[in-house]
Amino acid sequence: MSMMADMMRSMPMPETTGMDMSMMQPCVEACSAASMAATMCADADSGEGMGRCASLCMSTADMAMTMMRMMLRPAGYDMTAMTAMMTACMAMGEACAAECGRHAEMSEHCRICASACTAMVDACRTAMSMMPSA
């Protein structure tokens, strides 16, 4: 992730955001990891007849990827939109972690996905605590 850290340090931050790109890096990385885990879990779930879990995983993967991409575009930060998206991302991550958690004992991919989603929720919560209020 050195390239990403270098890129984030090089990004100009608009004065109006009151944020530093480097504070977003753990959240960006957690969203990326959750998106990958949820994508792979959904694929495995579909072969195992776990439709609800697969659907939640696919939605979580999409939400996490969108959140990550928003964080990578600091010139367009709007605190109201960022707060709403971060809140939605955490809600989706919590729902996916709960569903995958139900299958974690019998399914390693669900255990990994639940863990990645929980880490994303925690990282989003930390990032939100550092964001100026909308």
Side-chain angles (χ1 to χ4, degrees):
M1 285 295 177
S2 176
M3 179 279 305
M4 190 168 98
D6 291 345
M7 182 62 103
M8 291 181 108
R9 278 192 298 275
S10 77
M11 295 294 291
M13 285 298 291
E15 300 281 328
T16 57
T17 65
M19 294 169 52
D20 176 348
M21 266 312 270
S22 63
M23 72 175 242
M24 301 301 281
Q25 185 173 351
C27 192
V28 168
E29 291 171 358
C31 286
S32 177
S35 181
M36 289 185 280
T39 297
M40 295 172 77
C41 190
D43 186 63
D45 288 343
S46 64
E48 295 172 348
M50 296 194 305
R52 176 173 166 72
C53 192
S55 182
L56 278 167
C57 285
M58 287 185 285
S59 293
T60 299
D62 291 344
M63 179 65 77
M65 183 61 65
T66 301
M67 185 73 255
M68 180 192 74
R69 292 182 66 180
M70 282 181 71
M71 287 185 284
L72 294 175
R73 295 188 286 252
Y77 278 6
D78 175 87
M79 287 305 115
T80 301
M82 288 293 285
T83 299
M85 269 300 289
M86 195 83 65
T87 300
C89 189
M90 289 187 301
M92 196 73 241
E94 288 169 346
C96 189
E99 181 65 24
C100 281
R102 289 182 186 87
H103 313 126
E105 285 187 27
M106 65 180 176
S107 174
E108 182 68 2
H109 59 82
C110 280
R111 185 194 65 73
I112 293 167
C113 185
S115 177
C117 287
T118 299
M120 176 184 71
V121 170
D122 292 344
C124 285
R125 193 167 283 122
T126 299
M128 273 189 75
S129 73
M130 293 187 272
M131 289 169 42
S133 52

